[in-house]
Amino acid sequence: MNSESDQASSEVPGFPPRISLITAPTPLEDGGLLPSGARLWVKRDDLTGLGAGGNKGRKLEYLCAEALSQNADCLVTVGAAQSNHCRMTAAAGARLGLDTHLVLAGHRPTRLEGNQLLSQMFGATLHHTGCDDAQWRELESYRSALTDELRSQGRRPHSIPIGGSTPMGALGYWRAFDELMQQCQQLDITPDVIIHTSSSGGTHAGLVAGLAHARAQSKPHCPVIAIGVAKGVALTVDSVFQLAKSTLSLAASDAPLELSDVQIESRFLGDGYAIPTEAGAAATHWAAHRGAWVLDSVYTAKGFSGVLGLDAEGMFSASHNVVFIHTGGLPSVFAH
Ligand SMILES: Cc1ncc(COP(=O)(O)O)c(C=O)c1O
């Protein structure tokens, strides 16, 4: 294990220790005007640095600090065949000198591509289950069985649920909320809304916890809208509400949280997880041509189609500042 393990510190009051794995603050770019005339800001969490970047790096800073504090000697996690979370966990494992086991949907392809190729490059062991991407319960059972098997072999696995969406992982997006609010203050802008792509719900829960805590302290804050891209557990308001509450408790915050703080917009999902939509393709074209932002069809294309869709429905006008958190997904663009 290298010296990263000595760097865990808890620099946010009340937060458990975090280990430094990403490059932050990530840029907040002026994205020009949306068709309504509202100003778009793009928070570049696709540029978090760790293993080709993305939102999961922020969660892994807390999840891996937890692993090290429990003296784990390997990481186990689970995801879709082209899981960005699994690829970033493999990257974190490489950085920390921890063996990483990935439980993946699908069968082993003849040639690894995209996130799987990178995960293998980072030294992870890939366990292909043959499950469908959306069979979260079955995938989680495989994770649990593999974790038990590793324990029976005398290993000390730190086992991370799908998307790293535990209260510990969600702290990473509470921290991101604070980072974003500080950047807005520095730029002298008042954000009207934060919009992001949501699947397992941890990013959303962390942002909402950050919002509730900032509001309770009379600090700048704004509403958060999650664009749901999976039908799984995360698409219920209640599960994100409970996760956000547990995240607040973990950091000993008694900030009140309202159910109405959890806003999930699921109209941009289309026919299901990882099934591309026409609106997503149009959003990808718009983003690539306007700002050279690369969106992927599974996550960020649908997320950004939510921004354009809500804008077209008249939610925003010329006086508004709309922040889109670009959560990554670049490697899956190279998987066919
Ligand atoms: C690129 C990208 N964006 C957004 C998300 C959604 O994040 P969460 O699972 O925290 O809801 C994911 C999750 O895998 C992702 O890979």
Side-chain angles (χ1 to χ4, degrees):
M1 204 171 295
N2 67 24
S3 59
E4 303 256 12
S5 58
D6 302 326
Q7 291 175 11
S9 62
S10 63
E11 81 282 46
V12 179
F15 273 31
R18 177 181 70 88
I19 194 157
S20 174
L21 290 172
I22 66 164
T23 308
T26 55
L28 179 62
E29 283 178 10
D30 183 343
L33 300 182
L34 290 168
S36 66
R39 187 157 293 279
L40 170 69
W41 298 88
V42 183
K43 174 70 171 157
R44 298 294 305 272
D45 272 14
D46 55 323
L47 302 181
T48 52
L50 176 70
N55 62 337
K56 297 306 177 333
R58 291 189 185 271
K59 298 181 183 181
L60 286 162
E61 291 198 318
Y62 288 98
L63 294 165
C64 288
E66 185 180 37
L68 295 177
S69 74
Q70 294 170 359
N71 201 23
D73 67 358
C74 57
L75 302 173
V76 180
T77 196
V78 57
Q82 278 297 327
S83 165
N84 296 296
H85 162 67
C86 286
R87 179 253 309 165
M88 294 201 75
T89 306
R95 284 271 290 271
L96 299 172
L98 297 173
D99 289 344
T100 303
H101 292 266
L102 305 178
V103 174
L104 297 171
H107 297 283
R108 186 179 171 87
T110 41
R111 205 179 61 168
L112 297 181
E113 292 178 329
N115 282 303
Q116 292 192 4
L117 177 64
L118 291 176
S119 298
Q120 191 190 48
M121 281 176 68
F122 300 143
T125 305
L126 277 51
H127 303 260
H128 304 272
T129 59
C131 292
D132 285 345
D133 274 344
Q135 285 183 289
W136 284 12
R137 200 168 300 159
E138 290 80 355
L139 286 164
E140 284 291 15
S141 316
Y142 274 102
R143 173 176 68 90
S144 157
L146 176 63
T147 307
D148 290 346
E149 191 186 322
L150 288 163
R151 278 205 192 100
S152 73
Q153 293 166 4
R155 303 296 305 266
R156 298 184 306 278
H158 189 69
S159 198
I160 301 172
I162 207 151
S165 287
T166 62
M168 189 64 80
L171 287 175
Y173 267 89
W174 174 340
R175 191 162 182 271
F177 184 90
D178 292 350
E179 179 182 306
L180 177 55
M181 288 300 134
Q182 273 174 25
Q183 286 175 309
C184 289
Q185 274 187 299
Q186 283 157 7
L187 290 166
D188 203 19
I189 57 164
T190 307
D192 293 287
V193 64
I194 296 170
I195 303 182
H196 70 97
T197 314
S198 184
S199 169
S200 65
T203 301
H204 191 191
L207 290 169
V208 166
L211 150 66
H213 190 73
R215 182 176 55 206
Q217 297 200 322
S218 304
K219 289 187 176 162
H221 58 276
C222 73
V224 175
I225 300 178
I227 308 294
V229 301
K231 280 190 192 132
V233 286
L235 284 186
T236 70
V237 167
D238 197 53
S239 66
V240 175
F241 181 70
Q242 295 304 336
L243 184 53
K245 273 175 78 163
S246 305
T247 307
L248 285 163
S249 304
L250 181 61
S253 168
D254 55 9
L257 185 68
E258 310 294 330
L259 201 56
S260 57
D261 289 329
V262 179
Q263 299 187 52
I264 302 177
E265 182 52 81
S266 45
R267 285 179 298 144
F268 301 93
L269 165 66
D271 289 338
Y273 175 80
I275 302 174
T277 59
E278 273 182 34
T284 302
H285 182 88
W286 197 95
H289 285 243
R290 287 290 293 272
W293 303 296
V294 180
L295 306 182
D296 74 292
S297 65
V298 180
Y299 293 102
T300 52
K302 289 184 183 176
F304 194 64
S305 75
V307 174
L308 293 178
L310 295 174
D311 189 62
E313 287 171 6
M315 184 178 267
F316 317 124
S317 62
S319 61
H320 285 129
N321 287 299
V322 176
V323 179
F324 176 64
I325 304 183
H326 188 329
T327 42
L330 172 75
S332 69
V333 171
F334 302 105
H336 300 286

